[in-house]
Amino acid sequence: MAQAAAVAKPPAPPRRRRASATPRRLPYLLIGPAALLMLGFIAYPVISVFYYSLQEYNPTKPWRNGFAGFDNFVKIFTEDPVFRDTLVFSAKWVFVEVGLQLLFGLALALIVNQTFVGRGIGRAMVFSPWAVSGVLTSAIWVLLYNSQTGVTRYLADMGIGSYGTSWLSDTSTVFSAAVVADLWRGVPFFAILILADLQSVSKDLYEAAEVDGASRLKQFRHITLPHLKDAIILSTLLRAVWEFNNVDLLYTLTGGGPAGETTTLPLYIANTSVDAHDFGYASALTTVAFVILLFCSIVYLRLSKFGGENK
């Protein structure tokens, strides 16, 4: 019996059950409904715009509605001088606004990153304009620019300028006035993002640079700026897209005037669709604006080498 026990085979190990695929699929099943809902909210409007861009669609003139092909796009590039003017102004608006907002936002971020008494209150004051909605921002600056009760009235009391001056109705001052109003709300965006990135810079780098005799300017150039590269690229790209699509502030401040001096391409699209009810042509303008933004974004990311190593 001992020999039989010796030659007896050991019990076979239990067969491993095949892992169920359900646990692996569970996260996708959970986010699936929300993803489908978001896809519907995003895909349907985009597809609708592309569809109507090929149509002649005006609810006030239903007898003219129908398939137009590429006639709307031909009209944009060959017959519509307003499109070219608004596109040029949009580029000017984006360049000036994003450049100034980045400059002032970087300066404010460097200031509030220092240690001083009342830093918390200072940061709150810097960031507070970003919490104000665009329409409310416009209402505030409309009151400030009011010729009877605004800044110009007090300047006239001090002998600067004349009474009844309206910066928003003068073609020589309306652009600067609109830029200042948008700067008030846009600068905190850059300050917040840049300050958040500044917090991750190791202080050892600055201490080592001071030991080597590097000045503050050299520290900023060789340590701070390279570290902030990706944050600056991303923030400028996001803000450029937002400024290009800025409608609420300019619409409330100037309505695109005077004489169309502050009409951006999105504002022209809004006027074409809402006021003129020409939804087909407005959809074609929207499609062109989308392609322009997409192309410029890709080129900007390529040229800036976003996400690449700093040399």
Side-chain angles (χ1 to χ4, degrees), residues 197-231:
D197 207 27
L198 283 174
Q199 302 294 308
S200 61
V201 182
S202 176
K203 294 183 179 179
D204 295 337
L205 296 175
Y206 294 104
E207 293 177 355
E210 289 182 359
V211 172
D212 293 338
S215 63
R216 288 292 183 90
L217 182 60
K218 289 184 177 181
Q219 293 178 31
F220 174 76
R221 179 182 176 185
H222 297 287
I223 299 177
T224 306
L225 277 183
H227 187 86
L228 296 176
K229 174 192 170 186
D230 285 346

Side-chain angles (χ1 to χ4, degrees), residues 97 101 126-138 141 179-190 239 242-243 246 248-249:
E97 277 293 341
Q101 289 177 21
V126 169
F127 301 153
S128 58
W130 183 245
V132 181
S133 67
V135 175
L136 184 56
T137 299
S138 303
W141 285 92
V179 165
V180 171
D182 200 47
L183 279 177
W184 180 80
R185 184 169 182 262
V187 167
F189 169 77
F190 284 96
R239 195 61 187 161
W242 294 341
E243 289 296 344
N246 191 337
D248 53 356
L249 185 136

Side-chain angles (χ1 to χ4, degrees), residues 288-299:
V288 172
F290 170 77
V291 173
I292 291 173
L293 281 179
L294 181 63
F295 175 77
C296 292
S297 299
I298 294 174
V299 171

Side-chain angles (χ1 to χ4, degrees), residues 102 190 194 225 228-237 300:
L102 173 62
F190 284 96
I194 293 175
L225 277 183
L228 296 176
K229 174 192 170 186
D230 285 346
I232 291 175
I233 294 174
L234 181 60
S235 59
T236 50
L237 177 60
Y300 179 69

